Amino acid sequence: MGSRRNFLEKLTVSAVGLPLLYHSNPLFAASEAPYQGPVLKVAIMGLGSYGTRVAEAMKDCKRAKLVGVISGTPSKIKDWQAKYDIPKKNCYNYENFDAIKDNKDIDAVYVITPNGLHKDQSIRVAKAGKHVICEKPMAVNADEAQEMVDACKAAKVHLLIGYRMHYEPKTVEVIKMRQNGEFGKVKFFQGQSGFTIGDPSQWRLNKELAGGGAMMDIGIYSINGARYMLGEEPIWVTAQETKTDPIKFKEGVDETIQFQLGFPSGAVANCLSTYNMSHLDRFFMTGSEGWVEMQPSTGYGPIKGRTHKGELNQSHTTHQTLQMDGMSQLIFEGVQPIVPLDGEEGLKDMKIIDAIYEAAETGEKVAISL
Ligand code: NAD
């Protein structure tokens, strides 16, 4: 494995792109062909817990490679340089990273910082002419998300959101089954997304840095899930908030919200987002001909699920490895995942979150136009 990886790493080429030689070379059987196409050279911004997970997963990528870092902590930069063989010229901090525009060795920056920083950081990356990969939630509201979409369009760079489930094999299988009509007319989706959050001083419980509470962080999986499972865009939302610990969950930081989404076909989704219940990671969907249940449904996996036809048995691969290889293929070859994950898609989730907060606050049914 080590020698194969070394061999593959030596094949890393400029993002300008070489042809996929094995496609036309009969000497290579497709399954054994060494990958010789373009490799997306990525710098990670924010070397925290998820950034570390992505870096580890990228060791197994063949179409993407970690080549740079952006961090405010010099000791972390040093550790990452040693661990991932990152040259000094590809290391930046939050003050000087605009200079990345002159660095031909970096194609894309993956923004993995607290939510409240995503907008400004992503726009700076776009202005430096690099593709932006940004973690979910892409921003803290739809206005910010729209600014990001506009900035990336103006700079002619991709804006992709870290929706790793769009590449997850069991999820992809269920979406294909729904597209093929195997569930009949889908009528109901249930999504439960939550966990018990710890340390009250963390940025996730700080309105300015998080943009909200559980909904921004984990409820978004049920929102995005309702859309890709049902294959429709919601037209209304109702929501109810429960707060049992106003000390930990301050003004503007939601603890638990139940919400309902209505779809043009008449299908409905009933979802729960929480920072104060354990082990909530479950999707259920039913239609006129069948059903699917997934639990866990959006965790790091392996995802487990069954349908009216039996167990889902697609094999598990680290989600972030699939995602980064998939995003490279999207950028270089225009190959889209089964459900898009560009800035416009992220913007739709942000519009829904804005509407959920409005519905929870007013008690009204709020119309959504995506
Ligand atoms: P984290 O706290 O572990 O890491 C955040 C990083 O940002 C740290 O390295 C921190 O030093 C840095 N940072 C820069 N400026 C900061 C500031 N002003 N305040 C606080 N930290 C600052 O958080 P995380 O779990 O890595 O989450 C980062 C992002 O990734 C969030 O947007 C989160 O929603 C997303 N995330 C996505 C997934 C997923 O499965 N797609 C999973 C976890 C987190």
Side-chain angles (χ1 to χ4, degrees):
M1 186 65 193
S3 64
R4 179 178 152 78
R5 189 174 298 153
N6 290 344
F7 173 63
L8 290 174
E9 276 172 3
K10 284 196 188 118
L11 291 174
T12 300
V13 291
S14 153
V16 174
L18 287 179
L20 286 171
L21 297 177
Y22 65 85
H23 276 176
S24 55
N25 190 335
L27 291 178
F28 289 118
S31 59
E32 288 168 17
Y35 175 71
Q36 299 192 14
V39 170
L40 186 71
K41 292 170 294 181
V42 178
I44 290 184
M45 180 187 296
L47 313 182
S49 93
Y50 196 64
T52 302
R53 187 176 286 275
V54 171
E56 286 298 303
M58 286 185 72
K59 287 181 181 168
D60 293 325
C61 284
K62 62 176 186 174
R63 295 171 184 269
K65 184 171 164 57
L66 173 63
V67 299
V69 289
I70 299 152
S71 167
T73 315
S75 60
K76 276 198 214 165
I77 294 185
K78 233 173 159 186
D79 290 349
W80 279 52
Q81 276 193 269
K83 204 166 174 196
Y84 301 108
D85 196 18
I86 293 170
K88 194 163 180 1
K89 69 177 181 55
N90 291 353
C91 298
Y92 297 86
N93 59 42
Y94 293 109
E95 282 73 49
N96 70 13
F97 77 81
D98 308 273
I100 215 162
K101 72 175 190 307
D102 300 318
N103 191 332
K104 300 245 176 315
D105 291 338
I106 295 172
D107 302 316
V109 174
Y110 195 160
V111 177
I112 317 186
T113 53
N115 314 335
L117 308 177
H118 291 176
K119 184 203 71 165
D120 287 348
Q121 291 169 340
S122 296
I123 291 175
R124 280 172 69 186
V125 170
K127 285 188 172 157
K130 304 298 177 184
H131 299 300
V132 181
I133 303 172
C134 181
E135 255 318 311
K136 46 55 58 180
M138 67 184 283
V140 298
N141 56 48
D143 286 348
E144 280 199 5
Q146 184 70 59
E147 271 189 66
M148 292 164 70
V149 168
D150 294 345
C152 290
K153 209 174 263 174
K156 297 190 169 55
V157 295
H158 283 276
L159 170 58
L160 305 176
I161 314 304
Y163 290 128
R164 58 188 162 76
M165 301 315 294
H166 296 201
Y167 289 105
E168 193 282 316
K170 293 189 180 77
T171 304
V172 169
E173 175 61 19
V174 170
I175 294 169
K176 280 187 188 155
M177 285 179 71
R178 189 254 304 143
Q179 287 175 339
N180 294 337
E182 292 187 50
F183 302 114
K185 183 173 162 43
V186 286
K187 295 182 170 178
F188 177 72
F189 170 83
Q190 184 181 38
Q192 297 166 342
S193 304
F195 61 94
T196 306
I197 197 157
D199 177 11
S201 69
Q202 64 186 288
W203 68 260
R204 281 182 164 80
L205 296 172
N206 171 326
K207 161 87 172 148
E208 206 174 315
L209 286 171
M215 185 62 65
M216 287 283 170
D217 192 34
I218 191 78
I220 191 170
Y221 284 98
S222 275
I223 296 171
N224 196 249
R227 295 174 53 226
Y228 65 66
M229 296 282 279
L230 291 167
E232 284 189 271
E233 302 298 2
I235 49 174
W236 57 257
V237 58
T238 48
Q240 307 80 37
E241 181 170 8
T242 318
K243 194 171 283 201
T244 63
D245 185 348
I247 307 283
K248 190 168 186 180
F249 305 102
K250 300 200 166 49
E251 179 73 29
V253 178
D254 48 292
E255 176 187 323
T256 299
I257 295 182
Q258 295 189 67
F259 59 97
Q260 300 76 38
L261 302 169
F263 294 82
S265 69
V268 286
N270 195 359
C271 304
L272 177 65
S273 159
T274 183
Y275 262 162
N276 208 8
M277 296 178 208
S278 301
H279 315 301
L280 280 184
D281 183 6
R282 180 175 173 273
F283 283 179
F284 173 76
M285 183 170 74
T286 190
S288 56
E289 310 292 329
W291 52 269
V292 54
E293 182 175 41
M294 302 172 89
Q295 186 177 21
S297 55
T298 64
Y300 298 134
I303 300 302
K304 290 198 179 120
R306 60 198 177 104
T307 74
H308 57 289
K309 290 176 145 183
E311 293 289 315
L312 291 165
N313 52 21
Q314 291 68 28
S315 62
H316 171 74
T317 303
T318 304
H319 298 174
Q320 296 80 6
T321 308
L322 294 175
Q323 173 201 324
M324 295 310 290
D325 271 343
M327 286 181 165
S328 170
Q329 214 182 2
L330 189 162
I331 288 171
F332 290 120
E333 297 169 26
V335 178
Q336 292 286 343
I338 190 158
V339 178
L341 40 64
D342 52 33
E344 275 88 353
E345 283 300 303
L347 171 60
K348 288 177 188 169
D349 284 345
M350 297 313 304
K351 285 182 176 172
I352 297 169
I353 291 179
D354 284 356
I356 289 172
Y357 282 148
E358 185 186 335
E361 199 179 317
T362 61
E364 303 286 327
K365 184 174 187 175
V366 174
I368 313 174
S369 171
L370 298 180

